[in-house]
């Protein structure tokens, strides 16, 4: 009997050790729609390793790739509610929720990969990252997503006229619906994971994306004509749920930002390699890639800019992007 108090004390000690080890090792769950090995998935894994090193193991990251946690739009909501801790997501999937970020969804806003990097690495990039706070996530860094072009099951597109009568899947953002409409085709917004079967069954004729997505999602099997109009360069963004972020000490928050920044260079390298590999892979599969005179596509985008760039703050951002070198 007299042993009991001692056992109770031991139990208290054991519980507090367990609790402290739980809070000392937080494993953050991060979502990605892409398969294992894709440059964004690998970059977030690297981010986790760097973070773990910097925080002496207090934080690590587990990447749930292949849309295991859901399609992008749903995972954004879950991240906002704190159900998912982190997310690597295309800015396109945020639709028009973050006004400042919508400027990166404007067709032909970026002239080259160099221009894209100069803008996102500079002040404009910092302002866009900070704007995500309003929608309950903290954006840590941008990753590369290359340039997106149209592809379809019917024919090569050489001018906007060739697009008439075709249905293209777009990400769930009004800007993209208007972009396709301005080119004379029909837009069908739908989650990424539904695109393959929608093309295969003829619900739509095509979609638009970069080479790595066209390749790894298997779209090249069902839509063999890839037309290099390069209408969009949409940044990928790495975000943390605001609810999770608020529970992290300011010192550790700074380490999260450092680790994210360090993972950017790694992702850019992986991305550049993957673009080359994927282009070769889709060609080997029999995809036809054609060059496009971009001028009529660029001209057709005027109504899209007129509709979405009305606010003086966005006009200023667009002007600063256009004035950036590259
Ligand atoms: C990819 C992007 C994904 C997803 C997809 C899409 O390029 O990396 O995050 O947004 O496009 O079109 O839905």
């Amino acid at each position: 009997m007299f042993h009991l108090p001692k056992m109770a004390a031991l139990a208290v000690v054991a519980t507090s050790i367990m609790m402290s080890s739980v809070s000392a090792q937080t494993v953050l769950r991060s979502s990605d729609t892409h398969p294992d090995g894709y440059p964004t998935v690998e970059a977030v894994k690297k981010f986790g390793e760097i973070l773990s090193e910097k925080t002496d193991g207090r934080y690590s990251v587990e990447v749930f790739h292949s849309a295991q946690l859901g399609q992008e739009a749903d995972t954004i909501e879950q991240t906002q509610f704190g159900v998912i801790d982190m997310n690597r997501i295309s800015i396109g999937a945020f639709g028009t929720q973050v006004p400042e970020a919508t400027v990166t969804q404007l067709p032909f806003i970026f002239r080259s990969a160099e221009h894209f990097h100069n803008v996102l690495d500079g002040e404009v990039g910092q302002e866009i990252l900070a704007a995500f706070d309003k929608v309950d996530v903290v954006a840590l860094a941008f990753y590369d997503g290359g340039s997106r072009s149209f592809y379809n099951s019917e024919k090569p597109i050489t001018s906007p006229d060739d697009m008439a009568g075709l249905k293209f899947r777009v990400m769930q953002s009004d800007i993209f619906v208007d972009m396709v409409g301005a080119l004379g085709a029909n837009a069908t917004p739908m989650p990424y994971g539904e695109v393959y079967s929608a093309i295969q069954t003829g619900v739509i004729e095509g979609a638009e994306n970069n080479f790595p997505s066209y390749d790894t999602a298997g779209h090249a099997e069902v839509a063999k004509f890839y037309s290099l109009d390069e209408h969009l360069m949409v940044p990928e963004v790495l975000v943390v749920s605001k609810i999770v972020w608020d529970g992290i000490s300011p010192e550790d928050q700074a380490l999260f930002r450092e680790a994210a920044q360090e993972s950017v260079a790694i992702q850019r390298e992986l991305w550049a390699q993957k673009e080359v590999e994927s282009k070769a892979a889709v060609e080997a599969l029999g995809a036809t890639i054609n060059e496009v005179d971009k001028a009529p596509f660029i001209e057709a985008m005027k109504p899209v800019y007129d509709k979405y760039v009305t606010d003086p703050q966005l006009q200023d951002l667009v002007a600063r992007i256009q004035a950036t070198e590259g």
Side-chain angles (χ1 to χ4, degrees):
M1 287 296 278
F2 61 86
H3 287 301
L4 260 182
K6 196 175 165 194
M7 281 179 66
L10 274 177
V12 168
V13 171
T15 312
S16 68
I17 287 173
M18 268 167 58
M19 280 173 61
S20 70
S21 71
V22 166
S23 61
Q25 285 213 348
T26 305
V27 181
L28 300 167
R29 297 180 342 137
S30 189
S31 175
D32 199 308
T33 198
H34 290 301
D36 204 17
Y38 196 91
T40 53
V41 171
E42 295 309 308
V44 179
K45 285 188 197 166
K46 274 279 173 221
F47 160 78
E49 285 167 24
I50 300 169
L51 179 69
S52 181
E53 235 167 74
K54 285 186 188 288
T55 61
D56 298 321
R58 286 192 299 286
Y59 289 95
S60 63
V61 175
E62 188 175 355
V63 181
F64 289 79
H65 54 78
S66 312
Q68 289 171 71
L69 302 180
Q71 295 296 324
E72 283 189 337
D74 300 333
T75 64
I76 288 179
E77 262 183 37
Q78 293 190 50
T79 311
Q80 289 167 327
F81 288 133
V83 178
I84 297 177
D85 304 311
M86 296 191 63
N87 215 330
R88 187 297 310 164
I89 203 132
S90 167
I91 283 191
F94 276 91
T96 50
Q97 283 186 59
V98 186
E100 293 88 339
T102 57
V103 297
T104 66
Q105 298 179 20
L106 289 167
F108 301 106
I109 184 88
F110 298 112
R111 294 184 292 268
S112 62
E114 192 198 352
H115 184 222
F116 178 87
H117 289 152
N118 289 347
V119 170
L120 298 180
D121 292 345
E123 259 178 37
V124 171
Q126 285 308 314
E127 285 171 36
I128 294 173
L129 286 180
F132 281 87
D133 287 10
K134 283 183 276 197
V135 296
D136 299 328
V137 295
V138 173
L140 297 179
F142 297 112
Y143 288 150
D144 277 11
S147 58
R148 300 172 72 107
S149 291
F150 289 106
Y151 48 88
N152 77 94
S153 56
E154 305 298 303
K155 58 184 178 190
I157 307 284
T158 54
S159 78
D161 293 346
D162 295 326
M163 297 180 64
L166 299 180
K167 274 197 233 73
F168 290 93
R169 174 271 176 173
V170 290
M171 281 186 274
Q172 290 145 297
S173 178
D174 294 343
I175 301 185
F176 304 143
V177 174
D178 288 322
M179 169 188 80
V180 170
L183 291 166
N186 300 310
T188 307
M190 70 170 72
Y192 186 56
E194 291 172 18
V195 178
Y196 181 93
S197 69
I199 300 176
Q200 194 182 33
T201 56
V203 172
I204 53 175
E205 280 77 34
E208 48 85 50
N209 223 315
N210 49 50
F211 279 121
S213 293
Y214 178 56
D215 166 28
T216 58
H219 298 175
E221 291 165 20
V222 287
K224 294 236 179 277
F225 300 99
Y226 190 98
S227 305
L228 269 173
D229 73 298
E230 301 183 313
H231 54 271
L232 285 173
M233 293 182 86
V234 186
E236 312 281 13
V237 65
L238 179 63
V239 303
V240 183
S241 167
K242 181 85 170 57
I243 294 172
V244 173
W245 186 255
D246 289 344
I248 300 171
S249 72
E251 295 76 25
D252 282 344
Q253 287 178 352
L255 299 177
F256 270 66
R257 290 195 188 279
E258 271 178 37
Q261 208 38 54
E262 288 174 30
S263 71
V264 167
I266 297 165
Q267 197 270 347
R268 284 184 184 174
E269 210 165 291
L270 292 173
W271 182 260
Q273 281 166 19
K274 187 70 183 172
E275 273 191 323
V276 174
E277 274 171 31
S278 285
K279 184 165 183 268
V282 298
E283 279 178 314
L285 205 69
T288 309
I289 300 167
N290 69 285
E291 296 289 332
V292 174
D293 170 16
K294 293 183 193 173
F297 288 84
I298 296 174
E299 222 160 278
M301 291 305 122
K302 189 161 183 321
V304 179
Y305 277 68
D306 290 348
K307 180 168 172 187
Y308 290 96
V309 194
T310 50
D311 180 279
Q313 193 196 354
L314 298 194
Q315 285 171 347
D316 174 62
L317 274 178
V318 168
R320 285 158 65 207
I321 292 174
Q322 286 168 342
T324 302
E325 273 176 33

